[in-house]
Amino acid sequence: MTAKTEFKMIPGQSELDQIERDLRFHRIVNDNPTVLSRDQIAQFNRDGYIRGIRIFSNDEIAEIRRYFDELLARVIAAGGDSYSISTAHAKYGRVYDILADKRIVACVKDLLGADVIAWGSHFFCKMPHDGKAVAWHQDASYWPLTPSKAVTVWLAVDNASVENACMRFIAGSHHFGYLTYRPSDSSEHNVLNQTIENVEQYGSEVCDELTAGEVSIHSDLLLHGSEANNSDRRRCGLTLRYCAAEVRAHMDWNQKGVIVSGGDPTGHWANRARPESD
């Protein structure tokens, strides 16, 4: 395992700002994908996402939903909320199993190569009329990872439609690299703390409507967000984060990693064990 990198902090800048990161899109080259089609690989390169991939059957996703309902009740009873269940694979064996599910990993391998690290898992659950939006942002902006060879798999636990504030993409925006954002304040009711404005200059908006049990996969550089859920229906999704094993993680984020395909030749990632607790 590599030692933690030491940074000399510059006044006014965060530790993340100190890291020299390669934040440009690396085109996927895979002429013989195993699960995805060549058209899907081409779409990912062009638009930065693919969507509507069925992973779990109706019975399987119903069981996952029942599990989440119970987990959410426990988290709320302990003082959390519907956005609090983050890095869930490090605490809950059931989430670890979803993160390592071979059907999901097979799709990710077609995009990232044979050696894949799973390192993140976060439930984004918009309760009915919760009033909170997710502003336009890039995942890579938050992550101390380099190079930019990482993807998010968004698993629909509930049906996600325009009505209950499904995720939205700006197709093709990943080609513009790292984009300037402004901090968000509490008055904006934003789940996150960053906002990228005037996104129409980077591409066209696409609504990521999914049926429960389906996933979408998007680049860490793709602009995305979602409106507040003003409907009577909940909208829960589980975000699952993956990167190529060659990616380096700073700020001890390598401790989150699990080898889900191939190996980690340098031993950089912790390859944490499955938690005993579900």
Side-chain angles (χ1 to χ4, degrees), residues 6 18 20 27 35 38 42 49-50 54 61 63 81 87 92 96 139 152 154 190 208 214 250 252:
E6 297 296 331
Q18 311 299 304
E20 184 176 343
R27 183 176 179 274
V35 176
R38 291 187 179 185
Y49 71 89
I50 48 179
R54 169 63 65 178
I61 199 62
E63 177 56 33
D81 61 29
T87 318
Y92 310 110
Y96 183 105
D139 291 335
T152 292
W154 203 96
N190 182 10
D208 186 28
E214 291 181 337
H250 297 273
D252 283 341

Side-chain angles (χ1 to χ4, degrees), residues 88-107:
H89 68 286
K91 307 163 194 163
Y92 310 110
R94 291 285 297 277
V95 179
Y96 183 105
D97 294 341
I98 297 171
L99 186 68
D101 188 282
K102 292 181 179 179
R103 291 166 291 184
I104 297 175
V105 173
C107 296

Side-chain angles (χ1 to χ4, degrees), residues 110-185:
D110 279 345
L111 298 173
L112 297 180
D115 297 331
V116 177
I117 305 297
W119 62 266
S121 49
H122 189 173
F123 285 100
F124 279 86
C125 180
K126 289 178 177 286
M127 303 301 286
H129 304 283
D130 81 343
K132 293 182 180 180
V134 176
W136 293 111
H137 68 284
Q138 297 172 298
D139 291 335
S141 183
Y142 290 89
W143 299 346
L145 307 179
T146 186
S148 183
K149 294 184 177 183
V151 300
T152 292
V153 173
W154 203 96
L155 168 63
V157 177
D158 302 322
N159 292 337
S161 66
V162 172
E163 179 190 18
N164 67 343
C166 66
M167 191 163 51
R168 299 174 297 155
F169 301 134
I170 299 297
S173 56
H174 60 307
H175 292 299
F176 291 86
Y178 181 57
L179 299 173
T180 301
Y181 64 87
R182 66 167 176 81
S184 303
D185 60 48

Side-chain angles (χ1 to χ4, degrees), residues 10 27 42 66 132 144 150 162 172 198 231 233 252 260 267-268:
I10 299 173
R27 183 176 179 274
R66 283 192 290 271
K132 293 182 180 180
V162 172
N198 302 316
S231 77
R233 293 192 295 120
D252 283 341
V260 291
H268 174 72

